[in-house]
Amino acid sequence: MIEDDEGHARLIEKNIRRAGVSNEIKHFADGTAALDFLFNHASGPAKNGPALVLLDLNLPDMSGTDILQKMKAEGSPLRRTPVVVLTTTDDKVEIERCYDLGANVYITKPVNYESFAQAIRQLGLFISVIQLPDIEGEA
């Protein structure tokens, strides 16, 4: 999970857990730390297998679209990694750009707390049934 707002991060994790998802969730508050883990860390998905990324677009050090572009670039070991964009931005141009860059799902965070919590629980149910691809180069 790449989310700079600690309150949103706690809400997301709590409601994903309520939906029955028990997988480890690693939280990064900025893009630099997230990219380093994703691409370089021994337990990160580029070196250690499947993952799903929850990505906020509005980060303190870079845009989430920059992260998305790096992950989905030709030859990237993370090209097949599913990315769920979860952000406050509901601009149609930004939504199209994210899908063009390879986002798998785009969700606008509801402003209302209960609506946000419900949306995340539904996302958790979705996460609990999807299949993840092997990392690039594995059979």
Side-chain angles (χ1 to χ4, degrees):
M1 173 175 32
I2 308 169
E3 169 62 70
D4 64 318
D5 184 310
E6 291 294 331
H8 284 184
R10 282 192 302 275
L11 180 69
I12 291 165
E13 182 165 0
K14 180 172 77 172
N15 284 286
I16 285 176
R17 297 284 183 227
R18 282 184 179 163
V21 175
S22 60
N23 301 63
E24 179 181 14
I25 297 174
K26 291 198 178 288
H27 173 228
F28 300 94
D30 65 75
T32 303
L35 283 172
D36 183 53
F37 175 79
L38 290 168
F39 281 95
N40 302 319
H41 197 274
S43 64
K47 299 187 183 215
N48 194 43
L52 175 122
V53 174
L54 301 176
L55 176 63
D56 185 18
L57 295 183
N58 305 308
L59 300 168
D61 59 341
M62 68 180 67
S63 168
T65 55
D66 294 334
I67 295 170
L68 184 59
Q69 194 165 20
K70 287 178 171 68
M71 289 181 66
K72 299 295 186 167
E74 190 66 37
S76 167
L78 302 176
R79 189 170 56 90
R80 292 184 186 150
T81 300
V83 176
V84 175
V85 174
L86 189 59
T87 189
T88 55
T89 306
D90 65 356
D91 177 64
K92 299 291 183 216
V93 172
E94 194 70 12
I95 294 168
E96 288 176 11
R97 181 164 184 241
C98 286
Y99 280 116
D100 288 346
L101 289 172
N104 300 89
V105 178
Y106 190 107
I107 300 171
T108 302
K109 295 175 188 171
V111 177
N112 172 280
Y113 174 85
E114 190 49 47
S115 297
F116 187 20
Q118 180 60 28
I120 299 305
R121 282 192 293 274
Q122 290 173 350
L123 175 62
L125 293 172
F126 172 71
I127 289 171
S128 70
V129 297
I130 63 170
Q131 296 289 317
L132 296 177
D134 290 333
I135 59 173
E136 194 72 13
E138 284 190 359

